[in-house]
Amino acid sequence: MKRKKVSIVLSGGSIKGAFQVGVLNALMQVIKYEDIEIIAGTSVGNINGAMLAQKNLGRLNEVWDEIKKPKDMMKKWVFGIPLISQIVGFFKGGLYSFSPMEKIINKEITNAILDTDIKFYSCSINMVNGDKIYGFNHALDVSSMKKFITASSSMAPAFKPIRYADMWLTDGGCKEPVPVKVVVDNIKKSKLIIIILTRPIKGFPSIINPKGNLYNVAARNVDFLFDEVFDNDIKLGLGTHWKNKKYLIIAPDKKVFKDSFDITEQNVEESRNDGYRIGTKELSFLKKWIGRK
């Protein structure tokens, strides 16, 4: 029996991307790398997607094992008085330094992102004109791909935008947290799109008082923004461009994190385990769909 191709869309969601890793751990028990035609991701989904495209899910899990505290993803510009750090951040172009994640991306994204037969699209926003910009692994060099992957994960104003050519790129989640359309537009062989979200499909986050600093306020704004845009992305991408064709949406069934930056070792592991639990529920369907003997 000839195996069928699939394409995968990974949404944004910061630390909530741990859920996606758990789902992938489950799905890749059935899906082989050669079954994947296209992967598209925004924000944390673009990091997860890039490493999956490099055919290195094992290393992706190791990277997530190392994320235990906020400082593993971001850091203050100046240690000590928060106000001084935020003032420095104002002149730096971002309230916090994204250097911990930049180091991870620069280390983990290699020439394998270019050599893979899987097409990978990283979604960013050009702050100059508001256009959605896609970094495509079969059209760029590795240095450029690293910039696109970093930019797609770098949410303004928390982090500074990334300069590329005459563009200033930032987190694609501002306009396209679920990049379905770019997959639909470029599919040649896939008959099934798997969409892995980082938040429940229905319902807003519980009301949390964003205490502390501007970063916490920005985090809450991102959560509410994603709630508004997630459904629109899915409806436009699937309802308009992928009408009457097969898709599978996998999403959390509960909230593990208070917000996108509620980073603890326990929360990361719980979210990843939830992803695996929910992902395993789809294995029977995928075995039949792909054509696994």
Side-chain angles (χ1 to χ4, degrees):
M1 182 183 297
K2 185 177 180 180
R3 295 172 66 91
K4 296 178 181 177
K5 290 281 188 177
V6 302
S7 289
I8 299 173
V9 176
L10 298 163
S11 77
S14 187
I15 192 63
K16 300 172 187 176
F19 174 84
Q20 294 176 337
V21 180
V23 173
L24 292 172
N25 287 339
L27 301 189
M28 293 303 288
Q29 296 178 53
V30 173
I31 299 172
K32 296 180 179 180
Y33 287 116
E34 54 262 36
D35 297 328
I36 304 173
E37 180 183 3
I38 299 175
I39 300 171
T42 293
S43 195
V44 70
N46 110 110
I47 297 176
N48 290 337
M51 295 194 68
L52 182 65
Q54 290 186 161
K55 304 182 180 181
N56 205 346
L57 181 59
R59 178 56 189 156
L60 177 60
N61 275 276
E62 292 173 357
V63 169
W64 278 92
D65 287 340
E66 297 165 5
I67 298 176
K68 302 175 181 179
K69 298 177 181 179
K71 68 178 183 179
D72 296 325
M73 296 185 74
M74 62 184 184
K75 70 177 185 179
K76 298 177 181 178
W77 291 108
V78 178
F79 289 98
I81 301 174
L83 179 60
I84 295 178
S85 180
Q86 290 170 7
I87 291 173
V88 172
F90 177 83
F91 291 100
K92 292 277 190 179
L95 294 175
Y96 287 75
S97 168
F98 198 55
S99 59
M101 289 305 300
E102 286 185 279
K103 288 179 181 178
I104 291 173
I105 292 168
N106 286 330
K107 176 183 177 182
E108 302 299 338
I109 303 304
T110 67
N111 283 326
I113 195 66
L114 312 180
D115 299 335
T116 178
D117 54 345
I118 300 172
K119 297 177 182 178
F120 172 68
Y121 293 89
S122 168
C123 179
S124 298
I125 302 298
N126 182 6
M127 296 190 73
V128 175
N129 55 18
D131 287 348
K132 289 178 283 190
I133 306 294
Y134 299 98
F136 177 41
N137 63 328
H138 291 168
L140 298 170
D141 58 32
V142 68
S143 176
S144 297
M145 282 307 304
K146 288 180 179 182
K147 285 190 175 184
F148 271 95
I149 293 166
T150 301
S152 180
S153 314
S154 184
M155 179 195 69
F159 307 116
K160 65 179 180 180
I162 303 298
R163 182 70 181 266
Y164 180 79
D166 60 348
M167 300 180 289
W168 286 98
L169 303 177
T170 189
D171 194 321
C174 297
K175 292 186 72 172
E176 194 170 24
V178 190
V180 177
K181 187 176 182 299
V182 68
V183 173
V184 174
D185 288 346
N186 290 280
I187 275 180
K188 301 296 184 184
K189 299 178 180 179
S190 299
K191 302 298 182 182
L192 173 69
I193 296 177
I194 301 172
I195 302 171
I196 308 177
L197 306 180
T198 58
R199 55 162 281 253
I201 295 175
K202 295 182 179 180
F204 289 92
S206 57
I207 298 175
I208 304 293
N209 183 22
K211 296 183 290 186
N213 54 48
L214 289 174
Y215 189 70
N216 291 338
V217 174
R220 294 303 292 160
N221 283 338
V222 168
D223 284 332
F224 289 124
L225 175 65
F226 275 17
D227 276 328
E228 182 71 21
V229 181
F230 259 58
D231 294 336
N232 291 337
D233 257 13
I234 295 170
K235 289 176 183 177
L236 177 63
L238 296 178
T240 303
H241 305 285
W242 194 244
K243 194 172 182 179
N244 299 322
K245 297 184 181 179
K246 289 283 186 180
Y247 61 89
L248 173 64
I249 299 177
I250 303 176
D253 58 8
K254 66 178 184 180
K255 298 180 182 70
V256 174
F257 303 94
K258 291 184 294 184
D259 58 44
S260 292
F261 302 93
D262 179 24
I263 304 170
T264 68
E265 182 177 4
Q266 180 180 348
N267 284 351
V268 169
E269 191 58 25
E270 181 180 350
S271 180
R272 183 162 44 175
N273 288 339
D274 280 347
Y276 184 82
R277 170 180 59 83
I278 292 174
T280 55
K281 296 178 181 179
E282 307 297 342
L283 296 186
S284 178
F285 162 76
L286 284 174
K287 286 178 182 178
K288 294 178 182 178
W289 174 260
I290 290 176
R292 176 173 175 173
K293 296 181 180 179

